[in-house]
Coordinates of all heavy atoms in Angstrom, one line a residue:
M1 N 114.3 183.6 -89.8 CA 113.3 184.6 -89.9 C 112.7 184.7 -91.3 O 113.4 184.4 -92.3 CB 113.9 186.0 -89.6 CG 114.3 186.2 -88.2 SD 112.8 186.2 -87.1 CE 113.6 186.0 -85.5
P2 N 111.4 185.0 -91.4 CA 110.8 185.0 -92.8 C 111.3 186.1 -93.6 O 111.7 187.2 -93.1 CB 109.3 185.3 -92.5 CG 109.2 185.8 -91.1 CD 110.5 185.4 -90.4
T3 N 111.5 185.9 -94.9 CA 112.0 186.8 -95.9 C 110.9 187.1 -96.9 O 110.4 186.1 -97.5 CB 113.3 186.3 -96.5 OG1 114.2 186.0 -95.5 CG2 113.9 187.3 -97.5
C4 N 110.6 188.3 -97.2 CA 109.6 188.7 -98.2 C 110.1 188.2 -99.6 O 111.2 188.5 -99.9 CB 109.3 190.2 -98.2 SG 108.2 190.7 -99.5
Q5 N 109.2 187.5 -100.3 CA 109.6 187.0 -101.6 C 109.5 188.1 -102.7 O 109.9 187.8 -103.8 CB 108.8 185.7 -102.0 CG 109.0 184.6 -101.0 CD 110.5 184.2 -100.9 OE1 111.1 183.8 -101.9 NE2 111.1 184.3 -99.7
K6 N 108.9 189.2 -102.4 CA 108.8 190.3 -103.4 C 110.0 191.2 -103.3 O 110.7 191.5 -104.2 CB 107.5 191.1 -103.1 CG 106.3 190.5 -103.8 CD 106.1 190.9 -105.2 CE 104.8 190.4 -105.7 NZ 104.7 189.9 -107.0
C7 N 110.2 191.8 -102.0 CA 111.3 192.7 -101.9 C 112.6 192.1 -101.3 O 113.6 192.8 -101.1 CB 110.8 194.0 -101.1 SG 110.4 193.6 -99.4
H8 N 112.5 190.9 -100.9 CA 113.6 190.1 -100.4 C 114.2 190.7 -99.1 O 115.4 190.6 -98.8 CB 114.7 189.9 -101.4 CG 114.2 189.3 -102.7 ND1 113.9 187.9 -102.7 CD2 113.9 189.8 -103.9 CE1 113.5 187.6 -103.9 NE2 113.4 188.7 -104.6
T9 N 113.3 191.4 -98.3 CA 113.7 191.9 -97.0 C 113.4 190.9 -96.0 O 112.3 190.3 -95.9 CB 113.0 193.2 -96.7 OG1 113.1 194.1 -97.8 CG2 113.5 193.9 -95.5
E10 N 114.4 190.7 -95.1 CA 114.2 189.7 -94.0 C 113.4 190.5 -92.9 O 113.8 191.5 -92.5 CB 115.5 189.2 -93.4 CG 115.2 188.0 -92.5 CD 116.5 187.5 -91.9 OE1 117.3 188.2 -91.3 OE2 116.8 186.3 -92.1
W11 N 112.3 189.9 -92.5 CA 111.5 190.5 -91.4 C 112.2 190.3 -90.1 O 112.8 189.2 -89.9 CB 110.1 189.9 -91.3 CG 109.3 190.1 -92.6 CD1 109.6 190.8 -93.7 CD2 107.9 189.7 -92.8 NE1 108.6 190.8 -94.6 CE2 107.5 190.1 -94.1 CE3 107.0 188.9 -92.0 CZ2 106.3 189.8 -94.6 CZ3 105.8 188.6 -92.6 CH2 105.4 189.1 -93.8
T12 N 112.1 191.2 -89.2 CA 112.6 191.0 -87.8 C 111.6 190.2 -87.0 O 110.5 190.1 -87.5 CB 112.8 192.4 -87.1 OG1 111.6 193.0 -87.0 CG2 113.8 193.3 -87.9
W13 N 112.0 189.8 -85.9 CA 111.1 189.0 -85.0 C 109.9 189.9 -84.7 O 108.8 189.4 -84.7 CB 111.9 188.6 -83.7 CG 111.1 187.8 -82.8 CD1 111.0 186.4 -82.8 CD2 110.3 188.2 -81.7 NE1 110.2 186.0 -81.8 CE2 109.7 187.1 -81.1 CE3 109.9 189.5 -81.2 CZ2 108.9 187.1 -80.0 CZ3 109.1 189.6 -80.1 CH2 108.6 188.4 -79.5
K14 N 110.1 191.2 -84.4 CA 109.1 192.1 -84.0 C 108.1 192.4 -85.2 O 106.9 192.4 -85.0 CB 109.7 193.5 -83.6 CG 108.9 194.2 -82.6 CD 109.7 195.5 -82.2 CE 108.8 196.4 -81.4 NZ 109.5 197.6 -81.0
D15 N 108.7 192.5 -86.4 CA 107.8 192.6 -87.6 C 106.9 191.4 -87.8 O 105.7 191.6 -88.0 CB 108.7 192.6 -88.9 CG 109.5 193.9 -89.1 OD1 109.1 194.9 -88.5 OD2 110.6 193.8 -89.7
S16 N 107.5 190.2 -87.6 CA 106.7 189.0 -87.7 C 105.6 189.0 -86.7 O 104.4 188.6 -87.1 CB 107.6 187.8 -87.5 OG 108.7 187.9 -88.3
Q17 N 105.8 189.4 -85.5 CA 104.8 189.4 -84.5 C 103.7 190.3 -84.9 O 102.5 189.9 -84.7 CB 105.4 189.8 -83.1 CG 106.3 188.8 -82.5 CD 105.7 187.5 -82.1 OE1 104.5 187.4 -81.7 NE2 106.4 186.4 -82.3
K18 N 104.0 191.5 -85.3 CA 103.0 192.5 -85.7 C 102.1 191.9 -86.9 O 100.9 192.0 -86.8 CB 103.6 193.8 -86.2 CG 104.1 194.7 -85.1 CD 104.5 196.0 -85.7 CE 105.4 196.7 -84.7 NZ 106.3 197.7 -85.4
V19 N 102.8 191.3 -87.8 CA 102.1 190.7 -89.0 C 101.1 189.6 -88.6 O 100.0 189.5 -89.0 CB 103.1 190.3 -90.1 CG1 102.4 189.4 -91.1 CG2 103.8 191.5 -90.7
I20 N 101.6 188.7 -87.7 CA 100.8 187.6 -87.2 C 99.6 188.1 -86.5 O 98.5 187.6 -86.7 CB 101.7 186.7 -86.2 CG1 102.8 186.0 -87.0 CG2 100.8 185.7 -85.5 CD1 103.9 185.4 -86.1
F21 N 99.7 189.2 -85.7 CA 98.6 189.7 -84.9 C 97.6 190.5 -85.8 O 96.6 190.9 -85.2 CB 99.1 190.5 -83.7 CG 99.4 189.6 -82.6 CD1 100.8 189.3 -82.3 CD2 98.4 189.0 -81.8 CE1 101.1 188.5 -81.2 CE2 98.8 188.1 -80.8 CZ 100.1 187.9 -80.5
Q22 N 97.8 190.6 -87.0 CA 96.8 191.2 -87.9 C 95.7 190.3 -88.2 O 94.6 190.7 -88.6 CB 97.5 191.7 -89.2 CG 98.4 192.9 -89.0 CD 99.2 193.3 -90.2 OE1 99.3 192.5 -91.2 NE2 99.7 194.4 -90.2
F23 N 95.9 189.0 -88.0 CA 94.9 187.9 -88.2 C 94.2 188.0 -89.5 O 93.0 187.9 -89.7 CB 93.8 188.0 -87.1 CG 94.4 187.7 -85.7 CD1 94.5 188.6 -84.7 CD2 94.8 186.4 -85.4 CE1 95.0 188.3 -83.5 CE2 95.3 186.1 -84.2 CZ 95.4 187.0 -83.2
K24 N 95.0 188.3 -90.6 CA 94.5 188.3 -91.9 C 94.9 187.0 -92.6 O 95.9 186.4 -92.2 CB 95.0 189.5 -92.7 CG 94.4 190.8 -92.2 CD 94.9 192.0 -93.0 CE 94.3 193.3 -92.4 NZ 95.0 194.4 -92.7
K25 N 94.3 186.7 -93.7 CA 94.6 185.5 -94.4 C 96.0 185.5 -95.0 O 96.8 184.6 -94.8 CB 93.6 185.2 -95.5 CG 93.5 183.8 -95.9 CD 92.2 183.5 -96.7 CE 92.2 182.1 -97.2 NZ 91.8 181.1 -96.3
G26 N 96.3 186.7 -95.6 CA 97.7 186.9 -96.1 C 98.5 187.7 -95.1 O 97.9 188.2 -94.2
L27 N 99.8 187.7 -95.2 CA 100.6 188.5 -94.3 C 101.2 189.7 -95.1 O 101.8 189.5 -96.2 CB 101.8 187.6 -93.8 CG 101.4 186.2 -93.2 CD1 102.6 185.3 -93.2 CD2 100.8 186.5 -91.8
I28 N 100.9 190.9 -94.7 CA 101.3 192.1 -95.4 C 102.7 192.4 -95.0 O 103.0 192.6 -93.9 CB 100.4 193.3 -95.1 CG1 98.9 192.9 -95.2 CG2 100.7 194.5 -96.0 CD1 98.4 192.6 -96.6
C29 N 103.6 192.5 -96.0 CA 105.0 192.8 -95.8 C 105.1 194.3 -95.3 O 104.6 195.2 -95.9 CB 105.8 192.7 -97.1 SG 107.5 193.3 -96.9
P30 N 105.7 194.5 -94.1 CA 105.8 195.8 -93.5 C 106.8 196.7 -94.3 O 106.8 197.9 -94.1 CB 106.4 195.6 -92.1 CG 106.9 194.2 -92.1 CD 106.3 193.4 -93.2
Y31 N 107.5 196.1 -95.3 CA 108.5 196.9 -96.1 C 108.0 197.3 -97.4 O 108.1 198.5 -97.9 CB 109.8 196.2 -96.2 CG 110.4 195.9 -94.9 CD1 110.2 194.7 -94.2 CD2 111.2 196.9 -94.2 CE1 110.7 194.5 -92.9 CE2 111.7 196.7 -92.9 CZ 111.5 195.5 -92.3 OH 112.0 195.2 -91.1
C32 N 107.3 196.4 -98.2 CA 106.8 196.7 -99.5 C 105.3 196.7 -99.6 O 104.7 197.2 -100.6 CB 107.4 195.8 -100.6 SG 106.9 194.1 -100.4
G33 N 104.6 196.2 -98.6 CA 103.1 196.3 -98.5 C 102.5 195.2 -99.4 O 101.3 195.1 -99.5
E34 N 103.3 194.3 -99.9 CA 102.8 193.2 -100.7 C 102.3 192.1 -99.8 O 102.8 191.9 -98.7 CB 103.8 192.6 -101.7 CG 104.2 193.5 -102.8 CD 103.1 193.6 -103.9 OE1 102.3 192.6 -104.0 OE2 103.1 194.6 -104.6
T35 N 101.3 191.3 -100.3 CA 100.7 190.2 -99.5 C 101.6 189.0 -99.6 O 101.9 188.6 -100.8 CB 99.3 189.9 -99.9 OG1 98.5 191.1 -99.8 CG2 98.7 188.8 -99.0
Q36 N 102.0 188.4 -98.5 CA 102.8 187.2 -98.6 C 102.0 186.1 -97.9 O 101.1 186.3 -97.1 CB 104.1 187.4 -97.8 CG 105.0 188.4 -98.4 CD 105.7 187.9 -99.7 OE1 106.5 186.9 -99.6 NE2 105.3 188.4 -100.8
Y37 N 102.3 184.9 -98.2 CA 101.6 183.7 -97.6 C 102.6 182.8 -97.1 O 103.8 182.7 -97.6 CB 100.8 183.0 -98.7 CG 99.7 183.9 -99.3 CD1 100.0 184.5 -100.5 CD2 98.5 184.1 -98.7 CE1 99.1 185.4 -101.1 CE2 97.5 184.9 -99.3 CZ 97.8 185.6 -100.5 OH 96.9 186.4 -101.1
Q38 N 102.2 182.0 -96.1 CA 103.1 181.0 -95.6 C 103.2 179.8 -96.5 O 102.2 179.4 -97.1 CB 102.6 180.4 -94.2 CG 103.0 181.3 -93.0 CD 102.8 180.5 -91.7 OE1 103.6 179.6 -91.4 NE2 101.7 180.8 -91.0
T39 N 104.3 179.2 -96.8 CA 104.4 178.1 -97.6 C 103.7 176.9 -96.9 O 103.5 177.0 -95.7 CB 105.9 177.7 -97.9 OG1 106.5 177.3 -96.6 CG2 106.7 178.8 -98.5
S40 N 103.4 175.9 -97.6 CA 102.7 174.8 -97.0 C 103.5 174.1 -95.9 O 103.1 173.7 -94.8 CB 102.2 173.7 -98.0 OG 103.2 173.2 -98.7
D41 N 104.8 174.0 -96.2 CA 105.8 173.4 -95.2 C 105.8 174.3 -93.9 O 105.7 173.7 -92.8 CB 107.2 173.3 -95.7 CG 107.4 172.1 -96.5 OD1 106.5 171.2 -96.6 OD2 108.5 172.0 -97.1
S42 N 105.8 175.5 -94.1 CA 105.8 176.5 -93.0 C 104.5 176.4 -92.2 O 104.6 176.4 -90.9 CB 106.0 177.9 -93.6 OG 105.8 178.9 -92.6
Q43 N 103.4 176.2 -92.9 CA 102.1 176.1 -92.2 C 102.1 174.8 -91.3 O 101.6 174.8 -90.2 CB 101.0 176.0 -93.2 CG 100.7 177.4 -93.9 CD 99.6 177.2 -94.9 OE1 98.5 176.7 -94.6 NE2 99.9 177.6 -96.2
K44 N 102.7 173.8 -91.9 CA 102.7 172.5 -91.2 C 103.5 172.6 -89.9 O 103.1 172.2 -88.8 CB 103.3 171.4 -92.1 CG 102.3 170.8 -93.1 CD 102.9 169.8 -94.0 CE 102.2 169.7 -95.3 NZ 103.0 169.1 -96.3
R45 N 104.7 173.2 -90.1 CA 105.6 173.4 -88.9 C 105.0 174.2 -87.8 O 105.0 173.8 -86.7 CB 106.9 174.1 -89.4 CG 107.9 173.1 -90.0 CD 109.3 173.8 -90.0 NE 109.3 174.9 -90.9 CZ 109.7 175.0 -92.1 NH1 110.2 173.9 -92.7 NH2 109.7 176.1 -92.8
T46 N 104.4 175.4 -88.2 CA 103.8 176.2 -87.2 C 102.6 175.6 -86.5 O 102.4 175.7 -85.3 CB 103.4 177.6 -87.7 OG1 102.6 177.5 -88.8 CG2 104.7 178.4 -88.1
S47 N 101.8 174.8 -87.3 CA 100.7 174.1 -86.7 C 101.2 173.0 -85.7 O 100.5 172.8 -84.6 CB 99.9 173.4 -87.8 OG 99.5 174.3 -88.7
L48 N 102.2 172.3 -86.1 CA 102.8 171.3 -85.1 C 103.2 171.9 -83.8 O 102.9 171.3 -82.8 CB 103.9 170.5 -85.8 CG 103.6 169.4 -86.8 CD1 104.8 168.8 -87.4 CD2 102.8 168.3 -86.0
V49 N 103.9 173.0 -83.9 CA 104.3 173.7 -82.7 C 103.1 174.1 -81.9 O 103.1 174.1 -80.7 CB 105.2 174.9 -83.1 CG1 105.6 175.7 -81.8 CG2 106.5 174.4 -83.7
G50 N 102.0 174.5 -82.6 CA 100.8 175.0 -82.0 C 100.1 173.8 -81.2 O 99.4 174.1 -80.2
M51 N 100.4 172.6 -81.6 CA 99.8 171.4 -80.9 C 100.6 171.0 -79.7 O 100.2 170.2 -78.9 CB 99.7 170.3 -81.9 CG 98.5 170.4 -82.8 SD 98.5 169.0 -83.9 CE 98.1 169.8 -85.5
A52 N 101.8 171.6 -79.6 CA 102.7 171.2 -78.5 C 102.0 171.3 -77.1 O 102.3 170.4 -76.2 CB 104.0 172.0 -78.5
P53 N 101.2 172.3 -76.8 CA 100.6 172.4 -75.5 C 99.8 171.2 -75.2 O 99.6 170.9 -74.0 CB 99.7 173.7 -75.6 CG 100.3 174.5 -76.7 CD 100.9 173.5 -77.6
L54 N 99.3 170.5 -76.2 CA 98.5 169.3 -75.9 C 99.3 168.2 -75.2 O 98.8 167.4 -74.5 CB 97.9 168.7 -77.2 CG 96.9 169.5 -78.0 CD1 96.5 168.9 -79.3 CD2 95.6 169.7 -77.1
L55 N 100.6 168.2 -75.4 CA 101.5 167.3 -74.8 C 101.5 167.5 -73.3 O 101.8 166.6 -72.5 CB 102.9 167.4 -75.3 CG 103.2 167.2 -76.8 CD1 104.6 167.5 -77.2 CD2 102.9 165.7 -77.1
M56 N 101.1 168.7 -72.8 CA 101.1 168.9 -71.4 C 99.8 168.5 -70.8 O 99.6 168.5 -69.5 CB 101.3 170.4 -71.2 CG 102.6 170.9 -71.6 SD 102.7 172.7 -71.3 CE 104.2 173.1 -72.2
L57 N 98.8 168.1 -71.6 CA 97.5 167.7 -71.1 C 97.5 166.7 -70.0 O 96.9 166.8 -68.9 CB 96.6 167.3 -72.2 CG 95.1 167.6 -72.1 CD1 94.8 169.1 -71.8 CD2 94.3 167.1 -73.3
P58 N 98.3 165.6 -70.1 CA 98.3 164.6 -69.1 C 98.8 165.1 -67.8 O 98.3 164.8 -66.7 CB 99.3 163.5 -69.6 CG 99.4 163.7 -71.1 CD 99.1 165.2 -71.3
V59 N 99.8 166.0 -67.8 CA 100.3 166.7 -66.6 C 99.2 167.4 -65.9 O 99.0 167.3 -64.7 CB 101.5 167.6 -66.9 CG1 102.0 168.3 -65.6 CG2 102.6 166.9 -67.6
V60 N 98.4 168.2 -66.7 CA 97.3 169.0 -66.2 C 96.3 168.1 -65.5 O 95.8 168.4 -64.4 CB 96.7 169.9 -67.3 CG1 95.4 170.5 -66.8 CG2 97.7 170.9 -67.8
I61 N 95.9 167.0 -66.2 CA 94.9 166.1 -65.7 C 95.4 165.4 -64.4 O 94.6 165.4 -63.4 CB 94.5 165.0 -66.8 CG1 93.8 165.7 -67.9 CG2 93.7 163.9 -66.2 CD1 93.7 164.8 -69.2
L62 N 96.6 165.0 -64.3 CA 97.2 164.4 -63.2 C 97.3 165.3 -61.9 O 97.0 164.9 -60.8 CB 98.5 163.7 -63.5 CG 98.5 162.5 -64.4 CD1 99.9 162.1 -64.8 CD2 97.8 161.3 -63.7
T63 N 97.7 166.5 -62.2 CA 97.9 167.4 -61.0 C 96.6 168.1 -60.6 O 96.5 168.4 -59.4 CB 98.9 168.5 -61.4 OG1 98.4 169.2 -62.5 CG2 100.3 168.0 -61.6
D64 N 95.6 168.2 -61.5 CA 94.3 168.8 -61.1 C 94.4 170.2 -60.4 O 93.8 170.4 -59.4 CB 93.5 167.8 -60.2 CG 92.1 168.2 -60.1 OD1 91.5 168.8 -61.1 OD2 91.4 167.9 -59.1
S65 N 95.3 171.0 -61.0 CA 95.5 172.3 -60.4 C 95.2 173.4 -61.4 O 95.8 173.4 -62.5 CB 97.0 172.5 -59.9 OG 97.3 173.8 -59.8
W66 N 94.2 174.3 -61.2 CA 93.9 175.3 -62.1 C 95.0 176.3 -62.3 O 95.2 176.8 -63.4 CB 92.6 176.0 -61.8 CG 92.7 176.8 -60.5 CD1 92.3 176.3 -59.2 CD2 93.1 178.1 -60.3 NE1 92.6 177.3 -58.3 CE2 93.1 178.4 -58.9 CE3 93.6 179.1 -61.2 CZ2 93.4 179.7 -58.4 CZ3 93.9 180.3 -60.7 CH2 93.9 180.6 -59.3
F67 N 95.7 176.5 -61.3 CA 96.9 177.5 -61.4 C 97.9 176.9 -62.3 O 98.4 177.6 -63.2 CB 97.5 177.7 -60.0 CG 98.7 178.7 -60.1 CD1 98.5 180.0 -60.3 CD2 99.9 178.2 -59.9 CE1 99.6 180.9 -60.3 CE2 101.0 179.0 -60.0 CZ 100.9 180.4 -60.2
L68 N 98.2 175.7 -62.1 CA 99.2 175.0 -63.0 C 98.7 175.0 -64.5 O 99.5 175.2 -65.4 CB 99.6 173.6 -62.5 CG 100.7 172.9 -63.2 CD1 102.0 173.6 -62.9 CD2 100.8 171.5 -62.8
T69 N 97.4 174.7 -64.6 CA 96.8 174.6 -65.9 C 97.0 175.9 -66.7 O 97.5 176.0 -67.8 CB 95.3 174.2 -65.8 OG1 95.2 173.1 -65.0 CG2 94.7 174.0 -67.2
I70 N 96.6 177.0 -66.0 CA 96.6 178.3 -66.6 C 98.1 178.7 -66.9 O 98.4 179.2 -68.0 CB 95.9 179.4 -65.7 CG1 94.4 179.1 -65.7 CG2 96.2 180.8 -66.2 CD1 93.6 179.9 -64.7
S71 N 99.0 178.5 -66.0 CA 100.4 178.8 -66.2 C 100.9 178.1 -67.4 O 101.7 178.7 -68.2 CB 101.2 178.4 -64.9 OG 100.6 179.0 -63.8
L72 N 100.6 176.8 -67.5 CA 101.1 176.0 -68.6 C 100.6 176.5 -69.9 O 101.3 176.6 -70.9 CB 100.8 174.5 -68.4 CG 101.7 173.8 -67.4 CD1 101.2 172.3 -67.2 CD2 103.1 173.7 -67.8
I73 N 99.3 176.8 -69.9 CA 98.7 177.3 -71.2 C 99.3 178.6 -71.6 O 99.7 178.8 -72.8 CB 97.1 177.4 -71.0 CG1 96.5 176.0 -70.9 CG2 96.5 178.2 -72.2 CD1 95.0 176.0 -70.6
L74 N 99.5 179.5 -70.6 CA 100.1 180.8 -70.9 C 101.5 180.6 -71.4 O 101.9 181.2 -72.4 CB 100.1 181.7 -69.6 CG 98.9 182.6 -69.4 CD1 99.0 183.3 -68.1 CD2 98.8 183.6 -70.6
L75 N 102.3 179.8 -70.7 CA 103.7 179.5 -71.1 C 103.8 178.9 -72.5 O 104.6 179.4 -73.3 CB 104.3 178.6 -70.1 CG 105.8 178.3 -70.2 CD1 106.6 179.6 -69.8 CD2 106.3 177.1 -69.4
A76 N 102.9 178.0 -72.8 CA 102.9 177.3 -74.1 C 102.5 178.3 -75.2 O 103.1 178.3 -76.3 CB 101.9 176.2 -74.1
S77 N 101.5 179.2 -74.9 CA 101.1 180.2 -75.9 C 102.2 181.2 -76.2 O 102.5 181.5 -77.3 CB 99.9 181.0 -75.4 OG 98.9 180.1 -75.0
I78 N 102.9 181.7 -75.1 CA 104.0 182.6 -75.3 C 105.1 182.0 -76.1 O 105.7 182.6 -77.0 CB 104.5 183.2 -73.9 CG1 103.4 184.0 -73.3 CG2 105.7 184.0 -74.1 CD1 103.5 184.3 -71.8
T79 N 105.5 180.7 -75.7 CA 106.5 180.0 -76.4 C 106.2 179.9 -77.9 O 107.0 180.1 -78.8 CB 106.8 178.6 -75.8 OG1 106.9 178.8 -74.4 CG2 108.0 178.0 -76.3
H80 N 104.9 179.4 -78.1 CA 104.5 179.2 -79.5 C 104.6 180.5 -80.3 O 105.2 180.5 -81.4 CB 103.0 178.8 -79.5 CG 102.4 178.6 -80.8 ND1 101.1 178.9 -81.1 CD2 102.9 178.0 -81.9 CE1 100.9 178.6 -82.4 NE2 102.0 178.0 -82.9
L81 N 104.1 181.6 -79.8 CA 104.2 182.9 -80.5 C 105.6 183.4 -80.7 O 106.0 184.0 -81.8 CB 103.4 184.0 -79.8 CG 101.9 183.8 -79.9 CD1 101.2 184.7 -79.0 CD2 101.4 184.0 -81.4
S82 N 106.5 183.1 -79.8 CA 107.9 183.5 -79.9 C 108.7 182.7 -80.9 O 109.6 183.2 -81.6 CB 108.6 183.3 -78.6 OG 107.9 183.9 -77.5
V83 N 108.3 181.4 -81.1 CA 109.0 180.5 -82.0 C 108.5 180.6 -83.4 O 109.3 180.4 -84.4 CB 108.8 179.1 -81.4 CG1 109.2 178.0 -82.5 CG2 109.7 178.9 -80.2
I84 N 107.2 181.0 -83.6 CA 106.7 181.0 -85.0 C 107.6 181.8 -86.0 O 107.8 181.2 -87.1 CB 105.2 181.6 -85.0 CG1 104.3 180.6 -84.5 CG2 104.8 182.1 -86.4 CD1 102.8 181.0 -84.5
P85 N 108.1 183.0 -85.7 CA 108.9 183.7 -86.7 C 110.1 182.9 -87.2 O 110.5 183.0 -88.4 CB 109.3 185.0 -86.0 CG 108.3 185.2 -85.0 CD 107.9 183.8 -84.5
F86 N 110.6 182.1 -86.4 CA 111.8 181.3 -86.7 C 111.4 180.1 -87.7 O 112.3 179.6 -88.4 CB 112.5 180.7 -85.5 CG 113.0 181.7 -84.6 CD1 112.4 182.1 -83.5 CD2 114.2 182.4 -84.9 CE1 112.9 183.1 -82.6 CE2 114.8 183.4 -84.1 CZ 114.1 183.7 -82.9
L87 N 110.2 179.8 -87.7 CA 109.7 178.6 -88.5 C 109.0 179.1 -89.8 O 108.8 178.3 -90.7 CB 108.7 177.8 -87.7 CG 109.2 177.2 -86.4 CD1 108.1 176.6 -85.6 CD2 110.4 176.3 -86.6
M88 N 108.7 180.4 -89.9 CA 107.9 180.8 -91.0 C 108.8 181.0 -92.3 O 109.8 181.5 -92.3 CB 107.3 182.2 -90.7 CG 105.9 182.1 -90.1 SD 105.4 183.7 -89.4 CE 105.3 184.7 -90.9
K89 N 108.2 180.5 -93.4 CA 108.8 180.7 -94.7 C 107.7 181.3 -95.6 O 106.5 180.9 -95.5 CB 109.2 179.4 -95.4 CG 110.5 178.8 -94.7 CD 111.7 179.2 -95.4 CE 113.0 178.7 -94.7 NZ 113.3 179.2 -93.4
L90 N 108.0 182.3 -96.4 CA 107.0 183.0 -97.2 C 107.0 182.7 -98.6 O 108.0 182.3 -99.2 CB 107.2 184.5 -97.0 CG 107.1 185.0 -95.5 CD1 107.4 186.5 -95.5 CD2 105.7 184.8 -94.9
S91 N 105.8 182.9 -99.2 CA 105.7 182.7 -100.7 C 104.8 183.8 -101.2 O 104.0 184.4 -100.5 CB 105.0 181.3 -100.8 OG 104.4 181.2 -102.1
N92 N 104.9 184.0 -102.5 CA 104.1 185.1 -103.2 C 102.7 184.5 -103.4 O 101.8 185.3 -103.6 CB 104.7 185.5 -104.5 CG 105.9 186.4 -104.3 OD1 106.0 187.2 -103.3 ND2 106.9 186.2 -105.1
N93 N 102.6 183.2 -103.5 CA 101.3 182.6 -103.8 C 100.8 181.8 -102.6 O 101.6 181.2 -101.9 CB 101.4 181.6 -105.0 CG 102.0 182.3 -106.2 OD1 101.5 183.4 -106.6 ND2 103.1 181.8 -106.7
Q94 N 99.5 181.7 -102.5 CA 98.9 181.0 -101.4 C 99.0 179.5 -101.8 O 98.6 179.1 -102.9 CB 97.4 181.4 -101.3 CG 96.8 180.9 -100.0 CD 95.4 181.5 -99.7 OE1 94.9 182.3 -100.6 NE2 94.9 181.3 -98.6
E95 N 99.5 178.7 -100.8 CA 99.6 177.3 -101.0 C 98.7 176.5 -100.1 O 98.5 177.0 -99.0 CB 101.1 176.8 -100.7 CG 102.1 177.4 -101.6 CD 103.5 177.1 -101.2 OE1 103.7 176.2 -100.3 OE2 104.5 177.7 -101.8
L96 N 98.2 175.4 -100.5 CA 97.3 174.6 -99.7 C 98.2 173.9 -98.7 O 99.3 173.5 -98.9 CB 96.5 173.6 -100.5 CG 95.4 174.2 -101.4 CD1 94.8 173.2 -102.2 CD2 94.4 175.0 -100.6
M97 N 97.6 173.8 -97.4 CA 98.4 173.2 -96.4 C 98.7 171.7 -96.6 O 99.8 171.2 -96.3 CB 97.7 173.4 -95.0 CG 98.5 173.0 -93.8 SD 97.8 173.6 -92.4 CE 98.6 172.6 -91.1
W98 N 97.7 171.0 -97.1 CA 98.0 169.5 -97.3 C 97.9 169.1 -98.8 O 97.3 169.7 -99.5 CB 96.9 168.7 -96.5 CG 96.9 169.1 -95.1 CD1 96.0 169.8 -94.4 CD2 98.0 168.8 -94.1 NE1 96.3 169.9 -93.1 CE2 97.5 169.3 -92.9 CE3 99.2 168.1 -94.2 CZ2 98.3 169.2 -91.7 CZ3 99.9 168.0 -93.0 CH2 99.5 168.5 -91.8
Ligands
LIG1 ZN1 108.3 193.0 -99.0

């Protein structure tokens, strides 16, 4: 789970979800209110997981079922969002991804 680098409080899975859904450039710590950023390694990891649904593309093309397509996209999105907090590492400074 991500740990704030200012107040050293470990965010819960629920805290992380709330922070992610703020859709801001920085992540505001729910405990001290300081802005945190994902480390570049963390950004790479979460992006890679985000691309995982693309692996299902051949299945979707082969089966040609809109129900299966929507189910797979939903399942992949839910899985992605659930897993992100476990991969996130925080930093006090904004780091470039590459
Ligand atoms: Zn904090």
Side-chain angles (χ1 to χ4, degrees):
M1 288 294 167
T3 303
C4 174
Q5 297 304 301
K6 276 275 185 216
C7 67
H8 303 286
T9 308
E10 191 181 59
W11 296 0
T12 63
W13 184 87
K14 209 172 167 184
D15 290 335
S16 309
Q17 291 296 324
K18 278 187 203 158
V19 168
I20 291 165
F21 278 104
Q22 288 171 345
F23 294 110
K24 288 181 183 160
K25 203 162 176 79
L27 306 163
I28 313 291
C29 173
Y31 299 95
C32 67
E34 288 290 333
T35 305
Q36 296 288 293
Y37 301 94
Q38 278 197 75
T39 63
S40 60
D41 274 355
S42 170
Q43 289 176 56
K44 282 176 204 163
R45 276 196 299 261
T46 53
S47 303
L48 277 176
V49 174
M51 284 180 218
L54 291 177
L55 297 174
M56 294 179 193
L57 211 58
V59 179
V60 170
I61 292 165
L62 288 172
T63 56
D64 195 27
S65 158
W66 64 268
F67 177 75
L68 187 68
T69 307
I70 292 171
S71 306
L72 283 175
I73 290 170
L74 269 177
L75 185 73
S77 307
I78 292 166
T79 309
H80 179 220
L81 287 170
S82 310
V83 164
I84 282 182
F86 296 100
L87 304 172
M88 270 170 61
K89 289 268 178 293
L90 300 174
S91 158
N92 288 324
N93 306 307
Q94 194 166 7
E95 295 175 11
L96 290 176
M97 190 167 162
W98 303 109

